[in-house]
Amino acid sequence: MKHISFTVTYIAIALAIAIAAGCLVASPTSSQEFQDGDPVSIGAFRLLHSDVLGEDRMLLVCAPKDYEDSGMSYPVLYVLYGDQIRGYFAEAVHIMDRLSEEGSIPKMIVVGVANVDRYRDLSAVGRPGRPSGIEPFLRFVTEELFPFVEKEYRTKNYRVLIGPQAGAEFGFYTLARRPGLFDAYILENPFRSSEVYDVLTEMMTTLLDEGLPSFTFIQVTASDRAGPLDTTVQVGYMHTFDDLVEEKDPNNITLITHYIKDSKEFLPLLKLREGLRELFRKYRFPEDREVRVLTDITSYYSELSEVFGFEIDIPEMTLYMKADKLSKMGMDNSAREILEFLIEIYPTSVSGHWGLANLHREMGNRELALEHYRKCVELMPNMRPAIQWIERLEAGE
Protein backbone atom coordinates (compact mmCIF):
# COMPACT_ATOMS: atom_id res chain seq x y z
CA MET A 1 0.00 0.00 0.00
CA LYS A 2 1.25 3.49 -0.82
CA HIS A 3 1.56 5.74 2.23
CA ILE A 4 1.18 9.45 1.67
CA SER A 5 2.70 12.31 3.62
CA PHE A 6 0.31 15.13 4.49
CA THR A 7 2.88 17.37 6.20
CA VAL A 8 3.18 19.94 3.42
CA THR A 9 -0.57 20.20 3.10
CA TYR A 10 -0.86 20.54 6.88
CA ILE A 11 1.43 23.56 6.83
CA ALA A 12 -0.69 25.18 4.13
CA ILE A 13 -3.86 24.46 6.09
CA ALA A 14 -2.36 25.81 9.31
CA LEU A 15 -1.36 29.03 7.57
CA ALA A 16 -4.84 29.41 6.12
CA ILE A 17 -6.38 28.89 9.55
CA ALA A 18 -4.03 31.38 11.13
CA ILE A 19 -4.89 34.00 8.54
CA ALA A 20 -8.62 33.41 8.69
CA ALA A 21 -9.04 33.06 12.44
CA GLY A 22 -9.17 35.62 15.21
CA CYS A 23 -9.83 35.57 18.93
CA LEU A 24 -13.21 34.14 19.89
CA VAL A 25 -13.84 33.00 16.30
CA ALA A 26 -15.08 29.44 16.44
CA SER A 27 -13.69 28.21 13.13
CA PRO A 28 -11.99 29.40 9.95
CA THR A 29 -14.26 31.64 7.93
CA SER A 30 -14.41 32.63 4.31
CA SER A 31 -13.08 36.06 3.39
CA GLN A 32 -16.42 36.72 1.68
CA GLU A 33 -18.06 37.02 5.11
CA PHE A 34 -16.17 40.23 5.80
CA GLN A 35 -17.15 43.60 4.34
CA ASP A 36 -14.91 46.42 3.21
CA GLY A 37 -14.24 48.72 6.14
CA ASP A 38 -15.12 46.20 8.87
CA PRO A 39 -12.97 46.68 12.00
CA VAL A 40 -10.30 44.14 12.89
CA SER A 41 -10.82 42.63 16.35
CA ILE A 42 -8.40 40.71 18.54
CA GLY A 43 -10.60 40.41 21.61
CA ALA A 44 -13.49 41.81 23.58
CA PHE A 45 -13.85 44.65 26.09
CA ARG A 46 -15.32 43.63 29.45
CA LEU A 47 -16.32 46.14 32.12
CA LEU A 48 -15.75 45.11 35.72
CA HIS A 49 -16.90 47.30 38.59
CA SER A 50 -14.60 47.16 41.59
CA ASP A 51 -16.07 47.69 45.02
CA VAL A 52 -12.56 47.47 46.46
CA LEU A 53 -11.27 50.34 44.32
CA GLY A 54 -14.57 52.19 44.02
CA GLU A 55 -14.31 52.48 40.24
CA ASP A 56 -14.90 50.63 36.98
CA ARG A 57 -12.06 48.68 35.42
CA MET A 58 -11.88 47.95 31.71
CA LEU A 59 -10.57 44.54 30.73
CA LEU A 60 -9.55 43.27 27.32
CA VAL A 61 -9.99 39.54 26.81
CA CYS A 62 -8.78 37.34 23.98
CA ALA A 63 -9.57 33.64 24.08
CA PRO A 64 -8.05 31.04 21.74
CA LYS A 65 -9.69 31.01 18.35
CA ASP A 66 -11.39 27.63 18.90
CA TYR A 67 -12.60 28.55 22.39
CA GLU A 68 -16.32 28.38 21.59
CA ASP A 69 -16.13 24.90 20.05
CA SER A 70 -13.41 23.20 22.04
CA GLY A 71 -15.01 22.98 25.48
CA MET A 72 -11.46 23.05 26.85
CA SER A 73 -10.09 25.19 29.66
CA TYR A 74 -6.94 27.30 29.47
CA PRO A 75 -4.23 28.95 31.59
CA VAL A 76 -4.53 32.74 31.86
CA LEU A 77 -1.98 35.35 30.82
CA TYR A 78 -2.65 38.61 32.72
CA VAL A 79 -1.22 41.73 31.05
CA LEU A 80 -0.86 44.93 33.06
CA TYR A 81 -1.01 48.14 30.98
CA GLY A 82 -3.69 46.36 28.96
CA ASP A 83 -5.09 49.70 27.77
CA GLN A 84 -2.05 49.97 25.48
CA ILE A 85 -3.90 47.84 22.96
CA ARG A 86 -1.53 48.22 20.02
CA GLY A 87 1.42 47.75 22.32
CA TYR A 88 1.46 45.32 25.20
CA PHE A 89 -1.95 43.68 24.67
CA ALA A 90 -1.61 43.10 20.92
CA GLU A 91 1.96 41.89 21.41
CA ALA A 92 0.84 39.36 24.00
CA VAL A 93 -1.99 38.09 21.79
CA HIS A 94 0.28 37.83 18.74
CA ILE A 95 3.04 35.96 20.58
CA MET A 96 0.60 33.64 22.35
CA ASP A 97 -1.06 32.79 19.02
CA ARG A 98 2.21 32.16 17.18
CA LEU A 99 3.87 30.07 19.89
CA SER A 100 0.76 28.01 20.64
CA GLU A 101 0.10 27.32 16.95
CA GLU A 102 3.62 25.95 16.53
CA GLY A 103 3.23 23.81 19.63
CA SER A 104 5.79 25.65 21.79
CA ILE A 105 3.39 26.77 24.53
CA PRO A 106 -0.18 25.88 25.54
CA LYS A 107 -3.04 28.00 24.29
CA MET A 108 -3.98 30.64 26.83
CA ILE A 109 -6.62 33.23 27.56
CA VAL A 110 -5.08 36.71 27.47
CA VAL A 111 -6.56 39.27 29.88
CA GLY A 112 -5.42 42.88 29.65
CA VAL A 113 -6.07 45.09 32.69
CA ALA A 114 -6.44 48.77 31.81
CA ASN A 115 -4.69 51.42 33.90
CA VAL A 116 -6.50 54.16 35.82
CA ASP A 117 -3.62 55.52 37.89
CA ARG A 118 -0.64 53.25 37.31
CA TYR A 119 1.74 54.66 39.92
CA ARG A 120 -0.97 54.69 42.56
CA ASP A 121 -1.98 51.09 41.87
CA LEU A 122 1.21 49.38 40.78
CA SER A 123 4.04 51.06 42.68
CA ALA A 124 5.17 49.84 46.07
CA VAL A 125 6.11 53.42 46.97
CA GLY A 126 3.55 56.22 46.88
CA ARG A 127 4.15 59.57 45.26
CA PRO A 128 5.16 62.46 47.55
CA GLY A 129 2.34 63.18 49.95
CA ARG A 130 0.22 60.28 48.73
CA PRO A 131 0.18 56.69 49.98
CA SER A 132 0.68 53.74 47.66
CA GLY A 133 -2.50 52.07 46.46
CA ILE A 134 -0.79 48.79 45.62
CA GLU A 135 -2.42 46.84 48.45
CA PRO A 136 -6.00 47.77 47.41
CA PHE A 137 -5.09 46.91 43.81
CA LEU A 138 -3.79 43.53 44.95
CA ARG A 139 -7.10 42.99 46.75
CA PHE A 140 -8.94 43.91 43.55
CA VAL A 141 -6.92 41.30 41.65
CA THR A 142 -7.48 38.50 44.15
CA GLU A 143 -11.04 39.27 45.29
CA GLU A 144 -12.63 40.59 42.08
CA LEU A 145 -10.52 40.14 38.93
CA PHE A 146 -9.69 36.45 39.36
CA PRO A 147 -13.24 35.43 40.39
CA PHE A 148 -14.69 37.36 37.43
CA VAL A 149 -12.37 35.81 34.85
CA GLU A 150 -12.72 32.32 36.31
CA LYS A 151 -16.51 32.57 36.35
CA GLU A 152 -16.87 34.02 32.87
CA TYR A 153 -14.27 31.85 31.11
CA ARG A 154 -13.06 28.26 31.27
CA THR A 155 -9.72 28.54 33.00
CA LYS A 156 -7.05 26.23 34.37
CA ASN A 157 -5.39 26.93 37.70
CA TYR A 158 -2.27 28.48 36.18
CA ARG A 159 -1.61 32.21 35.93
CA VAL A 160 1.17 34.19 34.27
CA LEU A 161 1.69 37.90 35.01
CA ILE A 162 3.10 40.23 32.36
CA GLY A 163 4.37 43.38 34.09
CA PRO A 164 5.77 46.18 31.96
CA GLN A 165 6.94 49.47 33.47
CA ALA A 166 5.39 49.99 36.95
CA GLY A 167 3.76 46.60 36.56
CA ALA A 168 7.14 45.07 37.39
CA GLU A 169 6.97 46.62 40.87
CA PHE A 170 3.54 45.09 41.32
CA GLY A 171 4.97 41.74 40.21
CA PHE A 172 7.70 41.67 42.85
CA TYR A 173 5.36 43.04 45.53
CA THR A 174 2.76 40.37 44.75
CA LEU A 175 5.34 37.60 44.74
CA ALA A 176 6.59 38.70 48.17
CA ARG A 177 3.16 39.33 49.72
CA ARG A 178 1.19 36.53 48.08
CA PRO A 179 3.58 33.83 46.81
CA GLY A 180 1.74 31.31 44.67
CA LEU A 181 -0.84 33.81 43.43
CA PHE A 182 0.85 33.74 40.03
CA ASP A 183 2.88 30.81 38.79
CA ALA A 184 5.14 32.83 36.50
CA TYR A 185 6.21 36.46 36.05
CA ILE A 186 7.61 38.17 32.96
CA LEU A 187 8.68 41.67 33.99
CA GLU A 188 10.80 44.67 33.25
CA ASN A 189 13.30 45.95 35.83
CA PRO A 190 11.22 46.69 38.95
CA PHE A 191 13.83 48.91 40.63
CA ARG A 192 13.10 52.40 39.28
CA SER A 193 14.52 54.20 42.34
CA SER A 194 16.59 53.56 45.46
CA GLU A 195 13.47 53.80 47.61
CA VAL A 196 11.64 51.19 45.53
CA TYR A 197 14.75 49.01 45.59
CA ASP A 198 14.97 49.17 49.40
CA VAL A 199 11.29 48.34 49.93
CA LEU A 200 11.11 45.49 47.42
CA THR A 201 14.48 43.99 48.36
CA GLU A 202 13.57 43.84 52.03
CA MET A 203 10.34 42.05 51.18
CA MET A 204 11.98 39.69 48.72
CA THR A 205 14.80 38.84 51.15
CA THR A 206 12.23 37.63 53.64
CA LEU A 207 10.58 35.53 50.94
CA LEU A 208 13.89 34.02 49.84
CA ASP A 209 14.74 33.14 53.43
CA GLU A 210 11.36 31.52 54.07
CA GLY A 211 11.16 29.80 50.68
CA LEU A 212 8.36 29.66 48.12
CA PRO A 213 5.41 27.28 48.56
CA SER A 214 5.49 26.19 44.91
CA PHE A 215 7.70 26.48 41.87
CA THR A 216 7.78 30.03 40.46
CA PHE A 217 9.31 31.23 37.22
CA ILE A 218 10.56 34.83 36.95
CA GLN A 219 12.08 36.57 33.95
CA VAL A 220 13.27 40.17 34.25
CA THR A 221 14.56 42.36 31.42
CA ALA A 222 16.89 45.20 32.42
CA SER A 223 17.80 47.68 29.69
CA ASP A 224 20.84 49.90 30.10
CA ARG A 225 20.08 53.21 28.39
CA ALA A 226 22.09 56.42 28.25
CA GLY A 227 20.97 59.98 27.62
CA PRO A 228 18.00 61.72 29.27
CA LEU A 229 16.45 58.34 30.19
CA ASP A 230 19.63 56.95 31.75
CA THR A 231 18.85 53.68 33.55
CA THR A 232 22.39 52.67 34.52
CA VAL A 233 21.68 52.96 38.26
CA GLN A 234 18.45 50.95 38.00
CA VAL A 235 20.24 48.18 36.10
CA GLY A 236 22.83 48.15 38.87
CA TYR A 237 20.06 47.47 41.39
CA MET A 238 19.01 44.46 39.33
CA HIS A 239 22.58 43.13 39.29
CA THR A 240 22.68 43.41 43.09
CA PHE A 241 19.36 41.57 43.38
CA ASP A 242 20.69 38.81 41.11
CA ASP A 243 23.63 38.42 43.50
CA LEU A 244 21.22 38.20 46.43
CA VAL A 245 19.24 35.39 44.81
CA GLU A 246 22.43 33.53 43.97
CA GLU A 247 23.60 33.88 47.57
CA LYS A 248 20.29 32.68 49.03
CA ASP A 249 19.97 29.88 46.44
CA PRO A 250 16.26 29.36 47.16
CA ASN A 251 14.28 26.27 46.23
CA ASN A 252 11.27 26.47 43.92
CA ILE A 253 12.41 29.50 41.98
CA THR A 254 13.95 30.12 38.58
CA LEU A 255 15.14 33.68 37.96
CA ILE A 256 16.33 34.63 34.49
CA THR A 257 17.59 38.15 33.85
CA HIS A 258 18.19 39.58 30.38
CA TYR A 259 20.55 42.56 30.43
CA ILE A 260 20.34 44.73 27.32
CA LYS A 261 23.21 47.15 26.83
CA ASP A 262 22.98 50.42 24.91
CA SER A 263 19.26 50.00 24.29
CA LYS A 264 17.76 52.42 21.80
CA GLU A 265 14.18 51.60 22.83
CA PHE A 266 12.13 54.34 24.49
CA LEU A 267 10.20 51.65 26.36
CA PRO A 268 12.36 48.78 27.61
CA LEU A 269 11.82 45.41 25.97
CA LEU A 270 9.88 42.69 27.79
CA LYS A 271 11.29 39.75 25.82
CA LEU A 272 7.90 38.13 26.17
CA ARG A 273 8.50 35.58 23.43
CA GLU A 274 11.73 34.41 25.05
CA GLY A 275 10.10 34.26 28.47
CA LEU A 276 7.19 32.11 27.35
CA ARG A 277 9.47 29.80 25.40
CA GLU A 278 11.70 29.29 28.43
CA LEU A 279 8.79 28.86 30.82
CA PHE A 280 7.33 26.10 28.65
CA ARG A 281 10.58 24.77 27.19
CA LYS A 282 9.54 21.16 27.86
CA TYR A 283 6.10 21.62 26.30
CA ARG A 284 7.18 20.69 22.78
CA PHE A 285 7.37 16.92 22.42
CA PRO A 286 11.02 15.72 22.42
CA GLU A 287 12.27 14.86 18.93
CA ASP A 288 14.27 11.89 20.20
CA ARG A 289 11.37 10.28 22.09
CA GLU A 290 10.00 7.28 20.21
CA VAL A 291 6.31 7.17 19.33
CA ARG A 292 4.64 3.98 18.15
CA VAL A 293 1.22 4.29 19.81
CA LEU A 294 -0.94 7.07 21.25
CA THR A 295 0.03 6.34 24.85
CA ASP A 296 3.66 7.18 24.04
CA ILE A 297 2.44 10.76 23.57
CA THR A 298 -0.17 10.97 26.32
CA SER A 299 2.22 9.59 28.96
CA TYR A 300 4.72 12.40 28.26
CA TYR A 301 2.09 15.11 28.77
CA SER A 302 0.77 13.40 31.90
CA GLU A 303 4.28 13.62 33.36
CA LEU A 304 4.51 17.28 32.30
CA SER A 305 1.15 18.05 33.92
CA GLU A 306 2.57 16.84 37.22
CA VAL A 307 5.50 19.22 36.84
CA PHE A 308 3.35 22.29 36.09
CA GLY A 309 0.51 21.47 38.45
CA PHE A 310 -2.29 21.65 35.88
CA GLU A 311 -3.55 19.30 33.19
CA ILE A 312 -1.69 20.10 29.99
CA ASP A 313 -3.54 19.48 26.74
CA ILE A 314 -1.50 17.87 23.98
CA PRO A 315 -0.69 20.30 21.14
CA GLU A 316 -2.69 19.70 17.97
CA MET A 317 0.44 19.95 15.83
CA THR A 318 2.25 17.31 17.90
CA LEU A 319 -0.55 14.81 17.39
CA TYR A 320 -0.80 15.53 13.69
CA MET A 321 2.91 15.33 12.96
CA LYS A 322 3.36 12.07 14.90
CA ALA A 323 0.41 10.55 13.04
CA ASP A 324 1.95 11.66 9.75
CA LYS A 325 5.27 10.03 10.64
CA LEU A 326 3.59 6.75 11.62
CA SER A 327 1.58 6.77 8.39
CA LYS A 328 4.78 7.06 6.36
CA MET A 329 6.20 4.13 8.34
CA GLY A 330 3.20 2.00 7.35
CA MET A 331 1.68 2.02 10.85
CA ASP A 332 -1.83 2.98 9.75
CA ASN A 333 -3.69 1.77 12.84
CA SER A 334 -1.48 3.77 15.20
CA ALA A 335 -1.76 6.84 12.94
CA ARG A 336 -5.54 6.50 12.87
CA GLU A 337 -5.71 6.12 16.66
CA ILE A 338 -3.79 9.37 17.14
CA LEU A 339 -5.85 11.29 14.57
CA GLU A 340 -9.13 10.09 16.08
CA PHE A 341 -7.88 11.24 19.49
CA LEU A 342 -6.91 14.57 17.90
CA ILE A 343 -10.40 15.34 16.58
CA GLU A 344 -11.93 14.14 19.84
CA ILE A 345 -10.15 16.89 21.78
CA TYR A 346 -10.00 19.38 18.86
CA PRO A 347 -13.35 18.86 17.05
CA THR A 348 -12.78 21.78 14.66
CA SER A 349 -9.29 20.68 13.62
CA VAL A 350 -9.19 20.88 9.83
CA SER A 351 -5.79 19.20 9.85
CA GLY A 352 -7.13 16.29 11.93
CA HIS A 353 -10.04 15.64 9.58
CA TRP A 354 -7.79 16.10 6.57
CA GLY A 355 -5.34 13.53 7.90
CA LEU A 356 -8.09 11.01 8.63
CA ALA A 357 -9.64 11.57 5.20
CA ASN A 358 -6.34 10.87 3.46
CA LEU A 359 -5.61 7.88 5.66
CA HIS A 360 -9.04 6.29 5.08
CA ARG A 361 -8.76 6.94 1.35
CA GLU A 362 -5.40 5.16 1.21
CA MET A 363 -6.84 2.29 3.27
CA GLY A 364 -9.77 1.95 0.86
CA ASN A 365 -12.41 3.27 3.28
CA ARG A 366 -14.24 5.45 0.74
CA GLU A 367 -17.23 6.48 2.88
CA LEU A 368 -15.12 7.37 5.89
CA ALA A 369 -12.77 9.35 3.66
CA LEU A 370 -15.74 11.28 2.21
CA GLU A 371 -17.07 11.95 5.71
CA HIS A 372 -13.84 13.63 6.79
CA TYR A 373 -13.29 15.51 3.51
CA ARG A 374 -16.81 16.94 3.86
CA LYS A 375 -16.04 17.95 7.42
CA CYS A 376 -12.95 19.79 6.13
CA VAL A 377 -15.12 21.75 3.70
CA GLU A 378 -17.68 22.47 6.41
CA LEU A 379 -14.91 23.97 8.52
CA MET A 380 -13.08 25.64 5.64
CA PRO A 381 -15.48 26.20 2.71
CA ASN A 382 -12.74 27.22 0.25
CA MET A 383 -10.49 24.22 0.86
CA ARG A 384 -9.92 23.20 -2.75
CA PRO A 385 -7.94 19.97 -2.12
CA ALA A 386 -10.79 18.55 -0.02
CA ILE A 387 -13.40 19.67 -2.57
CA GLN A 388 -11.47 18.00 -5.38
CA TRP A 389 -11.21 14.70 -3.49
CA ILE A 390 -14.94 14.78 -2.74
CA GLU A 391 -15.66 15.21 -6.44
CA ARG A 392 -13.31 12.39 -7.42
CA LEU A 393 -14.60 9.95 -4.79
CA GLU A 394 -18.25 10.72 -5.57
CA ALA A 395 -17.48 10.12 -9.26
CA GLY A 396 -16.15 6.67 -8.34
CA GLU A 397 -12.46 7.34 -9.01
Side-chain angles (χ1 to χ4, degrees), residues 76-129:
V76 184
L77 188 69
Y78 286 94
V79 183
L80 301 177
Y81 284 69
D83 50 306
Q84 296 192 18
I85 301 173
R86 297 191 182 200
Y88 298 119
F89 183 73
E91 178 186 18
V93 170
H94 168 73
I95 291 174
M96 187 279 296
D97 273 352
R98 285 296 182 92
L99 295 185
S100 63
E101 287 290 344
E102 70 181 33
S104 294
I105 68 171
K107 295 180 180 180
M108 292 186 278
I109 297 170
V110 181
V111 177
V113 183
N115 284 327
V116 171
D117 186 335
R118 56 183 176 171
Y119 287 112
R120 177 198 69 185
D121 297 334
L122 304 178
S123 178
V125 176
R127 285 174 287 195

Side-chain angles (χ1 to χ4, degrees), residues 95-361:
I95 291 174
M96 187 279 296
D97 273 352
R98 285 296 182 92
L99 295 185
S100 63
E101 287 290 344
E102 70 181 33
S104 294
I105 68 171
K107 295 180 180 180
M108 292 186 278
I109 297 170
V110 181
V111 177
V113 183
N115 284 327
V116 171
D117 186 335
R118 56 183 176 171
Y119 287 112
R120 177 198 69 185
D121 297 334
L122 304 178
S123 178
V125 176
R127 285 174 287 195
R130 299 174 65 181
S132 168
I134 197 168
E135 192 60 38
F137 188 77
L138 180 55
R139 284 188 55 212
F140 157 72
V141 169
T142 57
E143 298 174 18
E144 296 176 325
L145 176 62
F146 288 168
F148 174 80
V149 171
E150 290 160 11
K151 177 184 176 184
E152 294 290 313
Y153 300 91
R154 300 188 306 272
T155 64
K156 294 185 185 294
N157 187 28
Y158 195 84
R159 308 183 188 113
V160 181
L161 179 69
I162 308 302
Q165 301 185 50
E169 292 183 49
F170 178 77
F172 266 40
Y173 183 92
T174 300
L175 177 57
R177 285 282 191 248
R178 296 289 301 275
L181 194 64
F182 291 95
D183 300 276
Y185 299 79
I186 299 177
L187 313 170
E188 290 177 16
N189 190 347
F191 305 125
R192 62 184 173 87
S193 70
S194 60
E195 189 177 7
V196 171
Y197 172 77
D198 291 340
V199 170
L200 291 180
T201 302
E202 181 180 355
M203 295 170 60
M204 291 295 289
T205 299
T206 301
L207 175 69
L208 295 174
D209 287 336
E210 294 176 351
L212 282 77
S214 59
F215 174 75
T216 303
F217 174 91
I218 308 168
Q219 176 185 282
V220 178
T221 302
S223 299
D224 193 352
R225 296 177 296 181
L229 295 175
D230 190 344
T231 57
T232 306
V233 174
Q234 290 89 332
V235 171
Y237 293 143
M238 192 64 217
H239 276 292
T240 304
F241 182 77
D242 271 338
D243 294 339
L244 175 65
V245 174
E246 185 175 355
E247 174 192 335
K248 298 289 185 181
D249 192 21
N251 293 325
N252 281 345
I253 187 171
T254 292
L255 172 63
I256 297 173
T257 306
H258 293 285
Y259 291 99
I260 304 175
K261 287 191 172 294
D262 303 321
S263 174
K264 301 298 189 294
E265 302 288 337
F266 178 75
L267 295 177
L269 297 174
L270 264 171
K271 284 192 172 289
L272 178 55
R273 185 186 303 271
E274 291 84 349
L276 289 174
R277 281 191 187 279
E278 182 60 28
L279 172 61
F280 294 107
R281 61 187 174 84
K282 293 185 178 180
Y283 182 73
R284 186 186 288 273
F285 194 85
E287 292 295 330
D288 59 353
R289 185 155 170 156
E290 184 181 31
V291 173
R292 299 188 69 83
V293 293
L294 174 62
T295 53
D296 291 332
I297 303 174
T298 57
S299 62
Y300 175 79
Y301 285 96
S302 293
E303 295 166 8
L304 200 60
S305 297
E306 290 294 324
V307 173
F308 278 95
F310 72 96
E311 184 179 357
I312 292 181
D313 299 303
I314 304 173
E316 178 183 354
M317 178 180 284
T318 295
L319 292 167
Y320 190 92
M321 300 301 282
K322 295 305 177 184
D324 174 44
K325 185 175 181 179
L326 291 173
S327 175
K328 288 187 286 187
M329 293 168 59
M331 301 175 66
D332 287 339
N333 288 333
S334 291
R336 183 178 60 198
E337 180 188 26
I338 292 172
L339 289 170
E340 287 174 348
F341 178 76
L342 190 162
I343 63 172
E344 179 182 340
I345 59 175
Y346 298 103
T348 60
S349 170
V350 176
S351 56
H353 287 287
W354 172 252
L356 275 171
N358 287 332
L359 195 59
H360 282 303
R361 175 171 55 80

Side-chain angles (χ1 to χ4, degrees), residues 22-93:
C23 293
L24 297 175
V25 176
S27 61
T29 49
S30 167
S31 60
Q32 278 74 22
E33 294 183 25
F34 301 108
Q35 301 296 321
D36 181 40
D38 281 354
V40 176
S41 174
I42 61 168
F45 286 107
R46 300 299 305 271
L47 187 64
L48 173 60
H49 178 74
S50 170
D51 291 329
V52 171
L53 299 174
E55 61 193 20
D56 290 337
R57 281 289 170 147
M58 186 64 71
L59 309 178
L60 296 87
V61 182
C62 178
K65 65 177 183 293
D66 56 354
Y67 178 85
E68 295 297 336
D69 291 318
S70 73
M72 300 167 72
S73 56
Y74 303 91
V76 184
L77 188 69
Y78 286 94
V79 183
L80 301 177
Y81 284 69
D83 50 306
Q84 296 192 18
I85 301 173
R86 297 191 182 200
Y88 298 119
F89 183 73
E91 178 186 18
V93 170

